[in-house]
Amino acid sequence: MKRTDLENNSERTASWTAASLTAASAVAALALASLGSGAFGGVPVQDAAGGYLSSTATPVAPATTAFSIWSVVYLGLLAYAVWQLLPAGRRSPRQRAIRPWAAASMLLNAAWLWASQLGSLPATLVVMLALLAVLVRIAVLQWSVPPGSRAEAIASDGTFGLYLGWICVATVANTASLLGWALGIRPGDPAPSLPGGIPAEVTAVAVLAVAAAVGVGLALRGSWAPLVAIAWGLAWIAAARLTGPLAMPAVGIAAGAAAAVVLAAGVLVRFAPSRRLHTRAPREAHA
């Protein structure tokens, strides 16, 4: 057998192995996530950690309905796991770079759910920050090389874009939960205040402004999927603060405005005349 044939066979074996391990990671992570979420007798996430992860725990906690986005993200991860096993996915140099990070993101998600079951808010935040860093790394890799097809844009960029956007919002909520726990503020306290007498509403509005700025920054990258997830999370923070036991009208209005700003930035960047004239065709498929 010629050396070239040996090299090709070795490369094919390596690509199959990496793709198979990624797919196995997806299945294992989703199974662990199901167990860790309390679906089979454990504590539901909103009731874990003393209620600090519930929709009324802090001023920036989204309403429970917001978490339905996980169904879309999980379906996307399964679709990605299958797509990257196909010939186009196995051959993609872009996917060779992304696969280890993709597998890590899935396993970290399962780890976060298990940390919540253990009731450790510090552990949940550490895992969440690690997950956010991994997803940012995936985004950078995807931005560096445009997708080779619309299928890749949907399966890879779309899935991990939604994942990144939602984790940006979840990190805000998780951080606020840990802060509330550390300061001894009880979940659902109708008038929480920070040290120095600073009203929680003021801090919440500032945090929402930062979240909107992150969304605008992603819009400038031309990525739609993260914007949708960020706007979704912000909209449900608005819904949770405009009504219910932890109603804070100022925070609700600020969250709604932040969601609108993120979506508006995406629309303006997407349809800007200069973008239409100068964006290359492959980038049009960018999720």
Side-chain angles (χ1 to χ4, degrees), residues 125-149:
L125 184 58
V126 169
V127 175
M128 182 72 75
L129 291 173
L131 175 55
L132 180 61
V134 167
L135 291 172
V136 168
R137 177 58 179 163
I138 292 173
V140 170
L141 289 170
Q142 292 185 143
W143 291 335
S144 64
V145 181
S149 66

Side-chain angles (χ1 to χ4, degrees), residues 61-268:
T64 302
T65 307
F67 296 92
S68 62
I69 195 174
W70 275 116
S71 298
V72 180
V73 173
Y74 286 148
L75 285 174
L77 290 174
L78 285 174
Y80 170 78
V82 172
W83 177 83
Q84 58 90 41
L85 279 170
L86 301 177
R90 296 199 313 274
R91 290 195 301 265
S92 171
R94 189 177 189 249
Q95 293 307 315
R96 280 200 295 273
I98 290 171
R99 277 191 190 96
W101 300 100
S105 75
M106 300 173 200
L107 296 173
L108 282 169
N109 173 62
W112 184 92
L113 287 165
W114 279 99
S116 72
Q117 287 289 301
L118 294 173
S120 175
L121 284 170
T124 62
L125 184 58
V126 169
V127 175
M128 182 72 75
L129 291 173
L131 175 55
L132 180 61
V134 167
L135 291 172
V136 168
R137 177 58 179 163
I138 292 173
V140 170
L141 289 170
Q142 292 185 143
W143 291 335
S144 64
V145 181
S149 66
R150 186 162 295 276
E152 182 172 15
I154 294 171
S156 181
D157 301 54
T159 294
F160 290 105
L162 280 177
Y163 200 177
L164 171 61
W166 174 250
I167 292 301
C168 286
V169 175
T171 300
V172 169
N174 204 157
T175 302
S177 296
L178 179 60
L179 180 62
W181 170 77
L183 295 176
I185 299 173
R186 292 173 299 176
D189 187 337
S193 60
L194 300 177
I198 301 173
E201 290 94 330
V202 174
T203 304
V205 170
V207 168
L208 292 170
V210 172
V214 170
V216 171
L218 288 169
L220 295 175
R221 293 293 318 184
S223 299
W224 261 98
L227 302 186
V228 172
I230 290 175
W232 170 268
L234 291 172
W236 283 108
I237 292 174
R241 298 293 80 80
L242 290 173
T243 59
L246 194 60
M248 295 181 176
V251 177
I253 292 170
V261 166
V262 169
L263 289 178
V267 171
L268 289 174

